[in-house]
Amino acid sequence: MDSVEGVNRLAALEALRKEDWDLIIIGGGITGAGILLDTTTRGLKSLLIEKNDFAWGTSSRSTKLIHGGLRYLKQMEINLVREVGLERAIVYQNARHLVRPEKMLLPISKNGSMGRLSVSAGLWVYDCLARVKSKEKRSMLAKKETLQTEPMLHSKDLIGGGLYYEYRTDDARLTIEIIKKAVELGGKAINHLEVCQFIKKRKGIQGVVVRDAQQGWEEHLKASVVVNAAGPWVDKVRLLDQHKLPKRHLLLTKGVHLVVPREKLPLSQSVYFDVPTDNRMIFCIPRGRIIYMGTTDTVFQGNIDKPVAQKSDAQYILNAVNAMFPESTLSLEDVESSWAGLRPLIHQEGKKPSDISRKDEIFESPDGLISIAGGKLTGYRKMAERISKKVMQRLQLKWEAEGTKRLQVSGANFDSEEALKKQLNELTVEFSTDFTPENMEELFFRYGSNTREILVRARSYHHNNDTEKALLKGELDYTVSEEFVRSLSDFFHRRTGMIYFDIGRVHRQKKVALDHLSCLLNWDDQAKALQLEELECLLSEVVSFKQ
Ligand code: FAD
């Protein structure tokens, strides 16, 4: 992959400077990634610039669901639910290894905010709007069936439940697989490079000034159009262009998730319930050896570069979960990891955070900066289409509707569930002498059809029967050469999600990973020490609410 710079960072940076870009996109979250893929497939010369790592912002800190947003029906956001609901099926088809069906139970209580009739009607409307396939349509359960489905639920006020399908994903991996696909098709992407200024000429914005803090490199890059997809930083980037923010600006709200070992809350399946004290909704989602739960929704005014879960956030979630599942006695001590994400919502006067629309919006400045904010992970393709239409109008090019609807992201080379299972089986057989089926399954649902490339690399390290080390080195080699990994935390956080879902393994593997990455990326002792310090900081951040 030629735009993964790895060791040759300076050469890659120099190459960017020589080009005249049709489009520069600021921000490598799901929104920027989607725009890069869409515009690249339409033949534009596009460059994506990310100041940290890809998916470093909200796109690695969501609830990790590809969903229509059932709760938005309560707010009568019919068009939003229809659009993202329909997108669910498309995102699933295009990224099967990362988007997996997840049965969700919605318990109905005597004093809850939704009665049996409204849940039934709501789920029916949801099925219709999202054109849900028949085997995934909702079913309504009596009290006894609801308790059989999830025996841990409180039974006192329970009157029944609704069972429906959501799709679970890994937001950061989805982002990186989209970027990889765009790069495969000729797009360019670079991380750890910050846009710090705009280049303005008579016709308005004509490019950006970028800064690489590590290399001490600053350069001017030329572009016909610049799009600001900086998520929670959208207004900060707009302020590089304009002195004052216009009336339509962002309101950031924070959402926290907690991770506990499965044995501490042994749910049989995912549950989505409302919190009686404030009528907000909370998810509890099993994922391998852990369960994660969230989220909160509070106005955020702190440091955007460091949103963390606070004790009050954690306590709110634990109280709600313990009340819903009476045998649960979860305390702060049981939480092994957490994350906090910021929603870049469009400010609406007088509305509570949970009532503000999740619709995306596009702003155009007098000097031509196109900014996009709001929206959902699930709707990234549609947001990208709206942007590419605008960009192509500016460039006086013809725009056609088809776009990326049938384009599989990197790693998703299978047209059906059967094809996916067949590939996994073939890998399991081919590598059975070196690795267990569990090893391979874990990698497969992270890297899909690219898994073989990792296993081949891992096999070459498989001496002394140290399988865990061999797999780690294989994965590091692959993510450095194919997935833009430049730091320990890029790997343990965004590429593998281990910092959330298997934090013990991060502690166990960090030294081996440090030594191996330092060979791959030529780190000296000082760079190694900095890397370890950054990772330790992240490890304490995810449990900082315990102090
Ligand atoms: P981000 O992912 O934040 O990306 C913006 C990027 O811009 C960042 O990586 C940042 O580093 C970069 N950047 C900023 N300034 C600069 C600069 N000057 N130069 C270069 N780069 C820059 N949606 C769903 O569909 N399903 C869900 O389950 C779901 N759950 C959610 C739960 C929570 C708690 C939250 C907060 C959101 C959730 N969402 C969900 C919404 C979804 O996660 C967001 O809409 C989406 O991730 C936003 O992506 P983005 O690319 O716009 O922003």
Side-chain angles (χ1 to χ4, degrees):
M1 187 178 287
D2 66 348
S3 66
V4 179
E5 75 289 355
V7 193
N8 299 317
R9 176 120 177 132
L10 269 178
L13 292 171
E14 283 301 320
L16 300 182
R17 188 173 57 86
K18 295 194 185 119
E19 301 285 348
D20 279 328
W21 301 97
D22 290 327
L23 172 66
I24 284 183
I25 304 150
I26 306 171
I30 193 89
T31 309
I35 297 169
L36 180 71
L37 182 58
D38 187 293
T39 54
T40 302
T41 59
R42 292 173 200 278
L44 297 193
K45 206 159 143 193
S46 303
L47 166 68
L48 174 71
I49 300 176
E50 164 56 50
K51 74 170 175 164
N52 296 303
D53 181 26
F54 299 118
W56 186 92
T58 307
S59 300
S60 55
R61 303 157 196 256
S62 75
T63 308
K64 306 181 193 298
L65 290 175
I66 294 300
H67 67 158
L70 180 63
R71 86 177 178 81
Y72 310 132
L73 276 181
K74 267 201 209 169
Q75 292 153 257
M76 297 306 287
E77 294 256 27
I78 303 293
N79 287 337
L80 176 69
V81 177
R82 182 186 295 116
E83 181 173 292
V84 279
L86 291 173
E87 278 301 295
R88 241 174 35 149
I90 297 171
V91 184
Y92 167 61
Q93 257 172 43
N94 291 338
R96 276 176 204 273
H97 64 301
L98 291 175
V99 180
R100 310 299 301 158
E102 181 77 29
K103 245 195 284 169
M104 190 69 72
L105 177 64
L106 192 75
I108 309 166
S109 301
K110 220 182 279 165
N111 304 319
S113 67
M114 289 179 294
R116 203 178 160 76
L117 205 63
S118 56
V119 169
S120 175
L123 289 176
W124 181 80
V125 173
Y126 189 65
D127 281 353
C128 294
L129 288 176
R131 289 196 215 128
V132 171
K133 39 188 183 201
S134 53
K135 74 172 193 226
E136 293 186 3
K137 283 203 161 65
R138 67 101 165 87
S139 48
M140 294 304 294
L141 309 179
K143 176 174 176 169
K144 194 169 154 204
E145 292 168 302
T146 309
L147 282 169
Q148 276 163 355
T149 310
E150 183 42 73
M152 284 196 74
L153 279 171
H154 72 82
S155 64
K156 198 168 141 256
D157 294 328
L158 192 72
I159 52 176
L163 202 58
Y164 70 109
Y165 274 86
E166 294 283 24
Y167 286 78
R168 206 186 63 189
T169 191
D170 179 325
D171 44 9
R173 285 224 52 87
L174 184 62
T175 305
I176 196 76
E177 298 288 32
I178 293 168
I179 293 174
K180 279 161 71 188
K181 186 67 190 184
V183 170
E184 191 188 312
L185 297 176
K188 297 282 173 188
I190 187 155
N191 54 358
H192 302 281
L193 190 69
E194 181 172 6
V195 170
C196 52
Q197 214 181 310
F198 288 106
I199 303 169
K200 291 196 181 180
K201 303 229 165 103
R202 250 188 314 141
K203 283 201 239 146
I205 289 179
Q206 299 285 291
V208 297
V209 181
V210 287
R211 185 193 304 135
D212 179 330
Q214 264 179 29
Q215 305 272 355
W217 187 90
E218 191 166 301
E219 205 34 271
H220 289 55
L221 306 180
K222 288 169 279 174
S224 305
V225 184
V226 178
V227 167
N228 167 13
W233 294 263
V234 154
D235 280 351
K236 272 195 156 184
V237 172
R238 287 166 93 197
L239 283 172
L240 298 176
D241 167 39
Q242 293 165 281
H243 294 300
K244 209 168 136 238
L245 282 178
K247 217 166 141 212
R248 302 290 285 163
H249 60 271
L250 295 192
L251 173 82
L252 303 184
T253 76
K254 186 175 77 169
V256 165
H257 289 84
L258 305 180
V259 178
V260 295
R262 191 99 177 240
E263 66 267 16
K264 297 277 179 191
L265 184 66
L267 295 185
S268 311
Q269 70 140 69
S270 291
V271 181
Y272 184 37
F273 62 93
D274 58 341
V275 185
T277 48
D278 58 6
N279 286 341
R280 291 199 52 264
M281 303 289 294
I282 290 210
F283 287 100
C284 287
I285 304 176
R287 188 178 185 122
R289 54 168 288 283
I290 58 97
I291 290 220
Y292 69 95
M293 46 209 182
T295 175
T296 56
D297 198 355
T298 50
V299 173
F300 182 79
Q301 278 160 337
N303 179 358
I304 316 183
D305 293 298
K306 244 188 195 339
V308 287
Q310 263 146 4
K311 199 178 256 178
S312 54
D313 302 317
Q315 206 57 68
Y316 168 86
I317 296 173
L318 294 177
N319 290 346
V321 171
N322 287 341
M324 182 46 65
F325 307 105
E327 284 165 46
S328 160
T329 53
L330 289 175
S331 72
L332 291 177
E333 280 317 300
D334 299 316
V335 181
E336 59 178 45
S337 189
S338 73
W339 65 91
L342 299 177
R343 300 177 186 83
L345 306 178
I346 318 292
H347 179 76
Q348 286 178 287
E349 203 57 56
K351 286 212 172 177
K352 281 199 304 198
S354 297
D355 295 337
I356 294 178
S357 172
R358 266 53 178 166
K359 272 201 308 252
D360 56 284
E361 207 165 303
I362 295 175
F363 313 113
E364 287 181 80
S365 81
D367 277 340
L369 179 67
I370 301 175
S371 299
I372 179 157
K376 304 278 299 165
L377 193 75
T378 312
Y380 78 88
R381 240 183 35 85
K382 284 287 168 190
M383 290 166 73
E385 280 184 4
R386 287 192 269 278
I387 289 290
S388 72
K389 206 169 184 175
K390 275 214 176 297
V391 172
M392 292 185 78
Q393 263 167 7
R394 285 256 189 105
L395 297 172
Q396 297 179 336
L397 296 169
K398 191 159 168 253
W399 185 90
E400 278 166 17
E402 182 58 16
T404 56
K405 191 168 174 188
R406 279 171 243 280
L407 185 64
Q408 284 151 344
V409 304
S410 182
N413 288 346
F414 2 76
D415 289 328
S416 63
E417 270 308 293
E418 291 68 41
L420 176 145
K421 283 185 191 134
K422 187 164 170 270
Q423 258 193 46
L424 177 57
N425 280 341
E426 282 167 3
L427 278 182
T428 313
V429 172
E430 186 182 347
F431 291 90
S432 60
T433 47
D434 295 291
F435 307 113
T436 65
E438 292 75 32
N439 293 150
M440 287 183 262
E441 193 173 308
E442 185 189 340
L443 285 176
F444 192 77
F445 287 109
R446 217 179 269 157
Y447 299 95
S449 39
N450 294 317
T451 306
R452 198 171 181 283
E453 294 191 39
I454 296 172
L455 292 172
V456 168
R457 287 164 159 104
R459 188 183 253 172
S460 71
Y461 292 114
H462 204 203
H463 321 295
N464 315 324
N465 274 343
D466 194 339
T467 305
E468 190 170 283
K469 210 186 243 182
L471 286 168
L472 173 68
K473 288 184 176 176
E475 206 172 345
L476 284 166
D477 283 4
Y478 178 81
T479 52
V480 166
S481 80
E482 304 299 320
E483 296 200 338
F484 314 81
V485 158
R486 290 191 66 227
S487 76
L488 271 178
S489 58
D490 290 353
F491 179 75
F492 283 122
H493 186 186
R494 270 87 45 190
R495 295 311 172 281
T496 62
M498 269 189 229
I499 200 110
Y500 300 148
F501 303 125
D502 206 351
I503 198 163
R505 201 149 125 202
V506 181
H507 285 290
R508 227 171 37 242
Q509 296 191 331
K510 62 189 177 191
K511 289 276 161 48
V512 178
L514 179 68
D515 288 341
H516 198 67
L517 273 184
S518 70
C519 294
L520 296 174
L521 294 169
N522 284 341
W523 292 336
D524 57 19
D525 286 347
Q526 198 188 353
K528 275 175 85 174
L530 278 174
Q531 283 291 325
L532 199 55
E533 193 183 312
E534 186 197 271
L535 183 69
E536 296 295 351
C537 235
L538 190 60
L539 283 164
S540 56
E541 228 171 80
V542 296
V543 287
S544 61
F545 54 85
K546 291 190 184 186
Q547 283 135 29

